[in-house]
């Protein structure tokens, strides 16, 4: 699909929301090639564009700056779309998961793989075990990824394939689950499940053809384009993930802009062959280097100062000890890389700030980031603001996972969960994102949830931290562009900027916030080219 790449397109009868401080314009928007030429009265723009321009009548629809997701996982999504759907309500209990896995074919890497469950949404309200998976898949390796990807379960054959048994100690940065008799129960926390994901994803890539890998990446990107996204950052690319994105980029098969955030794997040579932040390689932009301070909020492995209320007594996991984290941050910053640190619990966020403050003295021109920023109390917010640290968070966690968060932290500590308004008040740039496939990649859900902050069960998560619809939209446009160092070209609709547009049927800033998630994506335009167009009703 191509709206005059190399020519002129004039979108008429539109409400243009340019973003930033610019007022809405009832009129038209003109693009030439990949750039915005003008915003203004239709007659004036049509005359200037000339008789050969293509005219697109939007019949009152709204043009937004192209929506940006600065923290999701399209490479992982491409792989996980090949796994069995074990999310809720699709599989409401463990027998349903067993049925889904038993019916599945193994991937080319030889494993049966499922993805998407959250134990607190299952009828049993517990993690499945190796023995549950053995019932479904007794004769070949099987892995079941929890929705956060910070915990997973493997069956007995999977443990054997990984070389894990009762004598195996907990590895650095992770934990092996055990039953009361000290037998491995198949549950892998943090680094061990990261290792399984990376191994299986790499083996999957190695055992599929180049054409198949490109098609998987294209499928994921087209899915994101259909949600109105024009630019995304893959926020934890291992080497295989970067290679897969580069294949698709070099083939011209990625319809949206993709930035890769390489995951620092701890290797001494990690930076040796990595282009610096901002480089373009095979059409893929290199972004921040990803480091991980702690675990996940949904998996209850985020490192916290006080124990979780459920599961009682748990304190989470620091994936990297603070000294190692600080050394890696310094090494990356000294080499000219932006750094993004996954930090969810207050103990993890403190470790991230401790590591970032020394490289942010005198300002933060590289826009070093905290990814997530879940349990973020006032003292840490003040420190982050003083250091100029950017926060890339996930509003849709509130509706999708919020009931579990409230249960885990209780009413008092929940007041500091994902504190968008308070972070803003400290002068912190807060960008919105999805962390998909952990939750939906749909930015409309994130914009709505930043305003409403309501869980699926109807409870409120720190209602005082709500932002306006305009601020929520900025989280997915201008502030997201700032976090990704794209704000010179993207994030607002201005003359001379790249023609990335998200066109929706109504104005998200004037409708009931409840309806924002139901906006219809009419068209997604990247660099002047239409990469998604809604079909007629």
């Amino acid at each position: 699909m191509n709206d005059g790449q190399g020519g002129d397109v004039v979108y008429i009868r539109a409400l243009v929301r340019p973003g930033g401080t610019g007022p809405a314009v009832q009129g038209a928007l003109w693009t030439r090639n990949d750039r915005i030429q003008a915003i203004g009265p239709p007659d004036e723009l049509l005359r200037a564009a000339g008789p050969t321009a293509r005219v697109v009548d939007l019949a009152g629809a709204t043009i937004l700056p192209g929506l940006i997701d600065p923290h999701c996982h399209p490479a992982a999504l491409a792989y996980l779309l090949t796994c069995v759907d074990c999310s809720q309500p699709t599989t409401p209990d463990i027998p349903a998961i067993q049925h889904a896995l038993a019916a599945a074919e193994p991937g080319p890497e030889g494993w049966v793989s499922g993805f998407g469950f959250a134990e607190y949404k299952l009828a049993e309200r517990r993690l499945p075990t190796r023995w549950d998976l053995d019932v479904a898949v007794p004769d070949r390796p099987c892995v079941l990824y929890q929705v956060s990807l910070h915990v997973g379960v493997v069956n007995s054959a999977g443990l054997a394939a990984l070389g894990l048994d009762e004598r195996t100690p907990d590895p650095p940065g992770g934990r092996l689950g055990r039953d009361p008799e000290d037998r491995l129960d198949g549950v892998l926390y943090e680094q061990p499940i990261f290792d399984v994901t990376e191994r299986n994803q790499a083996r999957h890539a190695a055992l599929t053809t180049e054409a198949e890998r490109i098609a998987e990446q294209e499928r994921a990107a087209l899915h994101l384009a259909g949600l109105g996204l024009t630019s995304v950052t893959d926020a934890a690319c291992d080497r295989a993930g970067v290679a897969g994105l580069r294949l698709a980029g070099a083939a011209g098969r990625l319809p949206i802009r993709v930035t890769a955030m390489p995951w620092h794997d701890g290797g001494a040579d990690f930076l040796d062959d990595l282009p610096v932040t901002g480089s373009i390689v095979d059409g893929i932009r290199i972004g921040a280097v990803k480091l991980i301070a702690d675990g996940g909020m949904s998996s209850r492995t985020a490192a916290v100062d006080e124990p979780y209320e459920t599961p009682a007594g748990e304190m989470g996991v620091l994936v990297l000890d603070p000294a190692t984290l600080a050394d890696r941050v310094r090494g990356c910053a000294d080499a000219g890389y932006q750094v993004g640190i996954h930090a969810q619990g207050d103990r993890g966020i403190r470790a991230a700030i401790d590591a970032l403050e020394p490289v942010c003295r005198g300002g933060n021109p590289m826009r070093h980031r905290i990814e997530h920023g879940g349990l973020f109390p006032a003292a840490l917010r003040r420190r982050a603001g003083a250091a100029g640290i950017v926060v890339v968070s996930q509003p849709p966690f509130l509706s999708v996972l919020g009931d579990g968060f409230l249960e885990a932290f209780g009413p008092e500590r929940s007041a500091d969960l994902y504190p968008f308004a308070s972070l803003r008040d400290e002068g912190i740039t807060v960008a919105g994102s999805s962390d998909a496939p952990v939750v939906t990649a749909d930015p409309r859900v994130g914009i709505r949830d930043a305003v409403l902050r309501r869980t699926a069960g109807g409870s409120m998560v720190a209602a005082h931290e709500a932002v306006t619809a305009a601020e929520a939209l900025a989280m997915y446009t201008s502030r997201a562009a700032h976090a990704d160092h794209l704000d010179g070209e993207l994030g607002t609709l201005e003359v001379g900027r790249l023609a990335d547009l998200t066109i929706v049927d109504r104005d998200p800033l004037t409708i009931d916030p409840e309806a924002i998630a139901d906006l219809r994506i009419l068209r997604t335009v990247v660099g002047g080219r239409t990469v998604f167009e809604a079909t007629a009703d």
Side-chain angles (χ1 to χ4, degrees):
M1 186 180 302
N2 190 323
D3 265 358
Q5 177 76 345
D8 294 279
V9 183
V10 181
Y11 299 90
I12 65 170
R13 289 211 295 161
L15 175 70
V16 182
R17 284 278 180 196
T21 58
V25 175
Q26 193 76 50
L29 183 145
W30 167 27
T31 67
R32 170 176 288 166
N33 301 335
D34 65 345
R35 299 281 168 172
I36 296 170
Q37 294 297 299
I39 299 169
D43 292 345
E44 180 181 314
L45 269 57
L46 288 168
R47 282 195 302 272
T52 61
R54 181 179 175 189
V55 179
V56 179
D57 187 344
L58 294 180
T62 298
I63 303 178
L64 305 173
L67 298 176
I68 301 169
D69 188 331
H71 185 120
C72 60
H73 303 278
L77 177 63
Y79 164 62
L80 292 169
L81 285 172
T82 70
C83 298
V84 180
D85 181 7
C86 293
S87 62
Q88 289 67 65
T90 303
T91 54
D93 52 29
I94 290 174
I97 289 176
Q98 291 171 322
H99 179 77
L101 293 173
E105 294 293 327
E109 74 283 359
W111 286 61
V112 173
S113 302
F115 167 71
F117 82 96
E119 64 275 17
Y120 48 85
K121 292 186 176 183
L122 292 172
E124 296 85 356
R125 296 183 64 78
R126 67 169 176 85
L127 287 163
T129 66
R130 65 188 282 193
W131 300 290
D132 293 320
L133 269 57
D134 286 347
V135 170
V137 186
D139 56 352
R140 66 176 70 247
C142 175
V143 59
L144 176 62
Y145 299 107
Q146 200 248 24
V147 65
S148 71
L149 295 175
H150 283 261
V151 67
V153 189
V154 297
N155 65 352
S156 296
L159 288 174
L162 298 170
L164 301 176
D165 60 30
E166 274 65 28
R167 295 166 296 180
T168 306
D170 287 345
R175 179 160 58 90
L176 306 177
R178 299 177 186 270
D179 72 1
E181 298 176 16
D182 207 33
R183 299 175 299 177
L184 293 184
D185 62 10
V187 182
L188 308 179
Y189 298 89
E190 299 303 327
Q191 194 59 52
I193 195 63
F194 297 161
D195 292 342
V196 173
T197 307
E198 183 174 353
R199 164 186 166 142
N200 283 7
Q201 192 170 340
R203 285 173 59 85
H204 177 93
L207 294 168
T208 52
T209 67
E210 184 174 300
E212 288 170 333
R213 279 179 280 159
I214 291 172
E216 288 176 359
Q217 297 292 344
E218 183 179 39
R219 177 186 175 197
L222 286 169
H223 170 74
L224 298 171
L227 299 174
L229 288 163
T230 60
S231 178
V232 300
T233 291
D234 193 316
C237 282
D238 60 19
R239 293 168 195 258
V242 173
L245 289 173
R246 288 181 60 179
L247 269 178
R253 296 276 293 277
L254 293 177
I256 61 177
R257 304 182 194 279
V258 178
T259 295
M261 182 185 282
W263 182 356
H264 198 320
D265 59 8
D269 63 344
F270 175 79
L271 299 178
D272 289 352
D273 58 355
L274 180 66
V276 295
T277 298
S279 301
I280 306 293
V281 184
D282 294 329
I284 304 301
R285 183 178 174 277
I286 303 300
V289 169
K290 176 74 171 290
L291 294 165
I292 298 183
D294 69 345
M297 195 76 85
S298 180
S299 57
R300 310 299 186 260
T301 51
V304 291
D305 287 328
E306 300 294 334
Y308 290 97
E309 296 199 6
T310 58
E314 292 291 334
M315 298 284 289
V317 176
L318 283 176
V319 174
L320 291 176
D321 68 83
T324 300
L325 179 64
D327 285 346
R328 291 188 186 172
V329 166
R330 171 61 70 185
C332 290
D334 286 348
Y337 294 93
Q338 182 187 22
V339 174
I341 303 179
H342 166 115
Q344 275 280 34
D346 47 1
R347 186 158 54 106
I349 292 171
R350 182 176 299 104
I353 295 173
D354 287 345
L356 288 172
E357 279 178 329
V359 301
C360 291
R361 290 198 178 107
N364 183 16
M366 286 304 295
R367 303 175 191 177
H368 299 304
R369 305 165 29 165
I370 287 177
E371 312 295 313
H372 307 302
L375 186 63
F376 213 137
L380 295 179
R381 297 195 295 263
R382 287 192 291 272
R383 288 179 60 191
I389 295 168
V390 174
V391 174
V392 179
S393 197
Q394 293 76 38
F397 281 5
L398 299 172
S399 65
V400 180
L401 304 172
D403 288 306
F405 296 163
L406 293 174
E407 183 180 276
F409 291 106
E412 183 175 345
R413 281 197 291 169
S414 292
D416 287 323
L417 286 173
Y418 302 96
F420 305 139
S422 293
L423 290 168
R424 173 207 63 205
D425 291 346
E426 293 291 345
I428 295 169
T429 297
V430 183
S433 65
S434 67
D435 204 21
V438 173
V439 298
T440 176
D442 194 334
R444 296 167 295 182
V445 174
I447 294 168
R448 179 200 66 189
D449 289 353
V451 178
L452 295 182
R453 301 186 64 91
R454 191 178 60 238
T455 72
S459 299
M460 300 298 293
V461 181
H464 60 285
E465 296 293 353
V467 298
T468 67
E471 289 175 304
L473 178 61
M475 290 172 71
Y476 286 85
T477 53
S478 58
R479 295 174 190 173
H482 176 89
D484 274 347
H485 283 275
L486 297 172
D487 47 321
E489 297 273 32
L490 301 174
T492 58
L493 303 178
E494 299 179 48
V495 173
R497 292 201 167 200
L498 288 168
D500 284 17
L501 320 172
T502 301
I503 301 174
V504 294
D505 63 337
R506 288 163 290 161
D507 179 5
L509 304 195
T510 58
I511 62 175
D512 184 339
E514 187 74 53
I516 292 174
D518 299 319
L519 287 168
R520 188 171 185 227
I521 306 295
L522 300 178
R523 191 177 292 241
T524 304
V525 179
V526 178
R529 294 177 57 248
T530 294
V531 298
F532 169 80
E533 186 174 0
T535 56
D537 291 332

